[in-house]
């Protein structure tokens, strides 16, 4: 079976403390980097049948205390969130594949 990812989109992207270049030195503090909602559809590569729809909302850098937010910390938090989604998708794919082979 081949899988095809035709449509993928980030529905909502809310950056809590964007790092904007200013002429003065300003530090921004935030408890998280922001929130986003991901929407994915997985299709069968042969029949084009939709196999799965995934909608997931996640907060990047969800922490209980405030920290200095920079473009680097925002990027690191976003990468962590994307890796978390990818790992969850791979885990579910492996679970379904194991059920079909048994």
């Amino acid at each position: 079976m081949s899988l095809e990812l035709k449509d993928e989109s980030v529905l909502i992207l809310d950056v809590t403390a964007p790092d904007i270049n200013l002429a003065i030195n300003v530090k921004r503090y935030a408890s998280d980097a922001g929130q986003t909602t991901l929407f994915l559809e997985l299709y069968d590569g042969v029949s084009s049948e939709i196999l799965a729809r995934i909608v997931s909302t996640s907060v990047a850098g969800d922490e209980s205390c405030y920290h200095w937010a920079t473009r680097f910390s925002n990027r690191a938090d976003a990468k962590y969130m994307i890796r978390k989604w990818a790992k969850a998708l791979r885990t579910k794919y492996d679970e379904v594949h194991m059920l079909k082979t048994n």
Side-chain angles (χ1 to χ4, degrees):
M1 174 197 292
S2 67
L3 286 178
E4 190 174 324
L5 181 63
K6 290 184 180 177
D7 301 317
E8 72 279 349
S9 60
V10 175
L11 298 175
I12 301 168
L13 180 59
D14 178 25
V15 180
T16 303
D19 192 12
I20 301 169
N21 292 330
L22 298 174
I24 58 173
N25 188 10
V26 176
K27 291 185 178 182
R28 291 178 175 80
Y29 293 86
S31 61
D32 59 61
Q35 174 179 314
T36 189
T37 301
L38 178 73
F39 175 76
L40 294 173
E41 287 183 338
L42 295 174
Y43 293 84
D44 183 304
V46 176
S47 68
S48 295
E49 175 186 358
I50 295 177
L51 300 174
R53 275 195 187 102
I54 301 153
V55 179
S56 177
T57 300
S58 185
V59 174
D62 189 19
E63 298 178 13
S64 60
C65 62
Y66 282 84
H67 64 279
W68 182 21
T70 65
R71 73 180 64 164
F72 305 108
S73 65
N74 288 345
R75 184 175 295 142
D77 289 338
K79 283 183 178 182
Y80 176 77
M81 184 174 49
I82 291 167
R83 279 190 215 107
K84 187 171 70 170
W85 277 332
K87 185 177 180 180
L89 180 61
R90 181 60 198 224
T91 300
K92 290 297 181 186
Y93 174 80
D94 288 343
E95 288 173 9
V96 169
H97 185 67
M98 288 298 291
L99 289 174
K100 288 187 175 194
T101 58
N102 289 333

